[in-house]
Amino acid sequence: MEIKAADVMKLRHATNAGMMDCKKALQEAEGDFDKAVDIIRKRGLIVASKRADREAKEGCVLAHAEGKKGVLVSLNCETDFVAKNENFINFTKQILDTAFENMPADKDALLALQIGGRSIADQISEQTGVIGEKLELAYYGKIEAEATIAYIHPGNKLATVIGFNKDADTQVKKDIAMQAAAMAPIAVDKNDVPQEVIAHELEIGRDKAREEGKPENMLDKIAEGRLNKFYQESTLLNQAFVKDAKQTIKAYLASQDKDLTVTGFIRFTLND
């Protein structure tokens, strides 16, 4: 049967599939538009399954914060070429906007949400078929706090969202978001570091001291000293401020407002 160009364009607009794929789907569906959409979607799922063992190390990392909430998502793909594609970035933005609007509990809940009447999980599978690369939602995180800010590093490969106990000057909040991006802290403060991490660092400290020939009765004390250095390097509030290494982030915040502090953060990068 003859397939009209207008129908091909309509299907292409609905699925983002290639022109020839749309024409073939319509021919197979004997002109039934809904059936053709299903064919395109099923082919997308088949391609997604075939590429499941591929690594998706490139992608687009975006974040958004406004008022008392913020979200961060990373949609991953196989090549930098796709990651820089405008349609791919816009698709990531749609996922980000949906996450911000709904604040789902976790990544699975986000994948179940719908954009334009179809779940995000299905649309990712469909786009895998259209693009020909494995796509996956690699990360989703959210922050809820009295004040928030998001930072996206140029290139869309690294982003952070910071939560504060109260609002502050935008530049001050941005300084903290950029600090977290640059210095990759693992926790807000000492008390937030998991006990297993502390135990591991103490063990490393003792082993290093022992290798250096330090007396056994001094190992614990030396390990504690090295743990304090770890806190200074790896907890946000105790890190040296990148704009002024003479003061910590905690001191910088106190200089702006004695009661101001960070309550939480999320950070994701494709380079980890």
Side-chain angles (χ1 to χ4, degrees):
M1 65 176 297
E2 182 182 354
I3 302 299
K4 296 180 180 178
D7 292 334
V8 174
M9 288 301 297
K10 181 182 176 183
L11 183 59
R12 175 174 167 75
H13 179 74
T15 65
N16 286 322
M19 293 287 284
M20 289 305 298
D21 288 332
C22 290
K23 185 175 182 179
K24 288 177 182 178
L26 283 165
Q27 288 172 336
E28 189 174 329
E30 297 181 344
D32 186 312
F33 182 81
D34 291 336
K35 192 176 291 185
V37 170
D38 286 340
I39 290 170
I40 293 291
R41 292 178 64 189
K42 287 175 183 177
R43 285 175 181 167
L45 291 170
I46 291 169
V47 173
S49 176
K50 287 180 178 178
R51 302 191 74 86
D53 61 340
R54 301 293 291 267
E55 287 190 295
K57 290 186 174 181
E58 294 294 337
C60 181
V61 184
L62 299 178
H64 178 68
E66 189 177 330
K68 296 185 178 184
K69 62 181 184 177
V71 294
L72 190 159
V73 301
S74 178
L75 182 63
N76 286 24
C77 56
E78 295 178 34
T79 65
D80 191 49
F81 177 78
V82 168
K84 293 178 178 177
N85 180 274
E86 185 177 347
N87 289 336
F88 182 82
I89 295 171
N90 286 336
F91 182 37
T92 309
K93 286 179 179 176
Q94 286 184 300
I95 296 173
L96 180 76
D97 291 343
T98 302
F100 184 79
E101 182 179 347
N102 294 276
M103 296 294 282
D106 53 31
K107 187 166 70 173
D108 287 340
L110 175 56
L111 286 168
L113 293 176
Q114 294 191 345
I115 298 175
R118 303 198 310 283
S119 74
I120 290 173
D122 282 349
Q123 294 204 43
I124 289 174
S125 291
E126 290 167 22
Q127 288 302 306
T128 293
V130 172
I131 294 170
E133 286 193 11
K134 177 181 179 179
L135 305 186
E136 64 177 354
L137 186 64
Y139 180 83
Y140 160 66
K142 64 177 181 175
I143 284 282
E144 294 181 84
E146 287 302 307
T148 60
I149 194 164
Y151 169 72
I152 304 170
H153 193 67
N156 297 337
K157 295 181 183 295
L158 164 64
T160 60
V161 180
I162 312 292
F164 299 87
N165 66 326
K166 60 191 300 187
D167 204 5
D169 180 79
T170 300
Q171 185 58 53
V172 173
K173 293 188 292 184
K174 186 177 179 181
D175 284 341
I176 306 305
M178 294 179 71
Q179 172 86 21
M183 301 307 292
I186 66 166
V188 173
D189 206 348
K190 298 177 184 180
N191 295 334
D192 303 305
V193 179
Q195 283 301 313
E196 59 268 26
V197 174
I198 294 173
H200 181 62
E201 290 300 320
L202 286 171
E203 183 181 354
I204 290 174
R206 283 190 291 267
D207 288 344
K208 284 185 177 179
R210 190 176 290 113
E211 289 173 4
E212 293 166 359
K214 299 294 193 282
E216 282 292 322
N217 64 345
M218 293 293 292
L219 297 186
D220 287 344
K221 185 175 181 180
I222 293 169
E224 286 289 345
R226 287 177 172 165
L227 179 62
N228 286 328
K229 185 178 180 182
F230 171 79
Y231 288 145
Q232 292 169 9
E233 295 173 346
S234 303
T235 57
L236 181 57
L237 292 177
N238 299 291
Q239 287 179 336
F241 184 25
V242 291
K243 286 188 173 182
D244 179 8
K246 293 180 181 180
Q247 63 177 333
T248 64
I249 291 298
K250 187 180 294 184
Y252 170 62
L253 291 173
S255 72
Q256 304 298 315
D257 181 330
K258 65 182 180 63
D259 298 320
L260 180 63
T261 192
V262 174
T263 58
F265 71 89
I266 49 178
R267 178 186 187 275
F268 187 83
T269 175
L270 293 171
N271 298 322
D272 281 352

